[in-house]
Amino acid sequence: MKFETLAAQGFIDLKKQNHAVSTPIYANTAYSFDSVEYAINLFDLKIEGDIYSRLSNPSNDMIEKRVAALEGGIGALATSSGQSAVLITILNIAQAGDEIVTSDKIYGGTYNLFSKTFKQMGITFRFINSDNLEDYEKAINEKTKCIYTETIGNPRIKIADIEGLAKIAHKHGIPLVVDNTVATPYLCRPFEFGADIVVHSTTKYLSGHGNAMGGMIVDSGNFDWNQNDKFKMFTTPDESYHGIIYAKEFQNAAFIAKARAHLIRDLGCCQSPFNAYLTQLGIETLHVRMERHSQNALELARHLEKHPHINYVIYPYLENNPDYALAKKYLKNGASSLIGFGVDGDGTKFIEALKLFIHATNLGDVRSIITYPAGTTHRQLSDEQKEKAGITNDFMRASVGLENIDDIKEDIDNAIEISRS
Ligand SMILES: Cc1ncc(COP(=O)(O)O)c(C=O)c1O
């Protein structure tokens, strides 16, 4: 099946779901066992089936299968949020004493998780402040367990060189983990460029309507956990699960098997079936929405480029963007909804004059959303720190929605005029 068909119809088993055309919400906690033998086989992970909804649920299973297929992966695990998808992914491969190499231009929530919470747990992140692949390689040592990046970095809209990073990671026997939230598999499939694991905040474009928190971890099935002795969590017995050796039992499907059997079981950050249902509805229109998000954002970017009171525009598909070549290589069907620009006027007046753009901290909603990082998310930083993070006082980050493009442009133009009065 092609992408659009998988998104709209993939994995629906009409007989299994009482001929309901849309997979229902299985608001259900536990599942009955036909026999003791059946229960034993389930608990020993010998057969597939549901035990308890912290571990799996048919509503979650539907979106796990669809996102795995859309990404070109072999398995996926739905989590309660994007944050918990990142948390479980890192804990699945790293423990106290280990290190991870990443960019300093990643989403602020992930940056905090890496620099504070994981630091307290003894996992060290090396943040690279450069686009130079050699700087990533120099930061790798024998304790490094993966390279972590974002396809389209949030909020500065930087494009990662996935293929280059994957080559470096594999040279050192470690996987490349990519947060593909802002691109979605419709614009970029990181596995095709050598990435090993993909994570998503499904809260954004995959659910798409700003109404369901969720996350997803997808495994390409390509990374060999046995190739060196770095990944003992996969190659030695898990005493908390009858001494199972994940890489032996599940071979190339070990990543999701361990994340589910060990980490979702222990941490409990599973996705609610209601949110999985809302996300299923979103996935069904993903390709149509991403096309229009990208079309509207590019048209707004071109409009703002010519505006006399706009200081700069950041959009990867603009020819003068420093990441234009990377964007053309990695983003095949468009460059998504995120656009950054500097307003030559009063930032607060600009934000408050907008009528159509909603002032909020989210992205990937059908509605246009504007965020003023210097006045909100990065307010606590000094001017110098903001400058370093690329968050100047004039910087606006917008997620361009699916409204009529003329209304979108008019709203921004009016607000610029008011910001200068
Ligand atoms: C790129 C990226 N990754 C992860 C997250 C975290 O996702 P969630 O808010 O669903 O926990 C976000 C949230 O904005 C994000 O933009």
Side-chain angles (χ1 to χ4, degrees):
M1 277 196 243
K2 303 265 190 314
F3 190 98
E4 294 79 355
T5 318
L6 269 175
Q9 292 229 13
F11 304 100
I12 290 182
D13 183 341
L14 291 172
K15 275 201 190 123
K16 213 169 139 191
Q17 57 194 43
N18 285 331
H19 298 272
V21 169
S22 172
T23 301
I25 306 167
Y26 287 81
N28 184 55
T29 306
Y31 302 83
S32 68
F33 310 123
D34 282 347
S35 67
V36 173
E37 190 192 354
Y38 174 73
I40 288 171
N41 282 331
L42 276 179
F43 275 84
D44 282 352
L45 306 178
K46 294 267 187 288
I47 53 171
E48 273 187 32
D50 299 309
I51 297 174
Y52 189 69
S53 281
R54 173 153 32 91
L55 301 170
S56 67
N57 172 292
S59 303
N60 294 18
D61 185 55
M62 162 55 72
I63 62 166
E64 286 166 353
K65 288 205 165 86
R66 275 203 205 169
V67 177
L70 294 177
E71 284 287 3
I74 59 156
L77 174 64
T79 62
S80 55
S81 65
Q83 286 297 100
S84 56
V86 178
L87 172 77
I88 289 193
T89 297
I90 299 299
L91 289 180
N92 216 25
I93 43 181
Q95 56 194 10
D98 290 339
E99 295 191 4
I100 286 162
V101 175
T102 188
S103 157
D104 70 348
K105 302 286 184 304
I106 51 174
Y107 165 60
T110 309
Y111 188 90
N112 284 338
L113 172 65
F114 288 178
S115 60
K116 282 203 181 133
T117 308
F118 275 128
K119 192 174 173 199
Q120 286 166 358
M121 296 164 86
I123 302 173
T124 303
F125 281 76
R126 300 199 173 270
F127 295 97
I128 309 301
N129 176 19
S130 119
D131 294 338
N132 197 339
L133 291 177
E134 282 169 17
D135 293 330
Y136 281 83
E137 184 156 21
K138 275 191 224 143
I140 295 175
N141 61 39
E142 71 285 355
K143 294 184 201 153
T144 311
K145 288 295 159 72
C146 76
I147 298 181
Y148 182 98
T149 193
E150 291 175 357
T151 314
I152 304 179
N154 172 19
R156 287 300 294 186
I157 319 173
K158 293 286 303 166
I159 309 296
D161 184 353
I162 298 172
E163 199 166 41
L165 290 171
K167 279 194 185 128
I168 293 172
H170 297 159
K171 187 173 150 196
H172 293 271
I174 55 173
L176 174 67
V177 179
V178 176
D179 180 333
N180 199 31
T181 298
V182 182
T184 82
Y186 186 66
L187 304 183
C188 176
R189 302 201 331 154
F191 297 153
E192 289 173 0
F193 300 101
D196 301 286
I197 307 293
V198 155
V199 293
H200 279 282
S201 164
T202 61
T203 313
K204 313 294 190 240
Y205 304 90
L206 284 171
S207 69
H209 298 77
N211 57 12
M213 296 297 299
M216 191 70 75
I217 308 168
V218 192
D219 180 17
S220 67
N222 293 332
F223 192 80
D224 177 8
W225 304 101
N226 287 302
Q227 66 183 282
N228 50 44
D229 64 357
K230 281 183 198 234
F231 299 99
K232 292 204 168 61
M233 292 152 146
F234 289 92
T235 57
T236 57
D238 178 354
E239 296 311 338
S240 79
Y241 217 108
H242 326 305
I244 200 165
I245 300 174
Y246 293 104
K248 196 169 154 207
E249 195 73 31
F250 297 98
Q251 312 219 344
N252 74 330
F255 193 84
I256 296 297
K258 178 169 129 39
R260 192 188 298 279
H262 171 202
L263 290 170
I264 275 272
R265 177 200 65 183
D266 287 4
L267 301 178
C269 39
C270 52
Q271 187 163 140
S272 132
F274 181 65
N275 286 20
Y277 175 76
L278 293 175
T279 303
Q280 178 199 165
L281 301 188
I283 291 168
E284 287 166 0
T285 58
L286 178 70
H287 45 293
V288 183
R289 287 183 292 105
M290 290 316 287
E291 226 163 69
R292 184 59 68 88
H293 274 303
S294 302
Q295 190 186 318
N296 277 357
L298 179 59
E299 199 166 329
L300 179 65
R302 293 225 161 101
H303 173 72
L304 292 180
E305 243 188 339
K306 288 185 254 139
H307 199 292
H309 303 304
I310 286 292
N311 297 334
Y312 55 87
V313 183
I314 305 171
Y315 190 67
Y317 261 25
L318 290 180
E319 288 76 1
N320 63 5
N321 186 287
D323 291 344
Y324 180 68
L326 289 174
K328 281 287 163 182
K329 173 172 174 174
Y330 292 113
L331 306 173
K332 288 276 156 56
N333 294 323
S336 197
S337 76
L338 275 196
I339 168 171
F341 52 93
V343 174
D344 183 12
D346 183 285
T348 303
K349 273 192 188 170
F350 171 78
I351 290 283
E352 290 179 355
L354 288 164
K355 295 213 157 48
L356 183 147
F357 276 80
I358 298 166
H359 182 205
T361 51
N362 196 19
L363 53 102
D365 192 313
V366 291
R367 291 154 280 252
S368 287
I369 305 257
I370 190 113
T371 308
Y372 181 29
T376 55
T377 48
H378 294 66
R379 189 175 170 68
Q380 74 284 4
L381 302 186
S382 66
D383 279 355
E384 196 191 331
Q385 284 171 318
K386 280 189 222 158
E387 199 84 36
K388 205 170 157 223
I391 307 296
T392 45
N393 283 327
D394 64 347
F395 177 60
M396 305 289 160
R397 189 207 70 190
S399 173
V400 183
L402 307 183
E403 304 90 347
N404 183 286
I405 186 63
D406 293 335
D407 290 338
I408 291 172
K409 288 191 220 167
E410 193 184 314
D411 194 39
I412 297 269
D413 288 351
N414 283 341
I416 295 172
E417 206 177 309
I418 293 170
S419 78
R420 296 175 54 78
S421 60

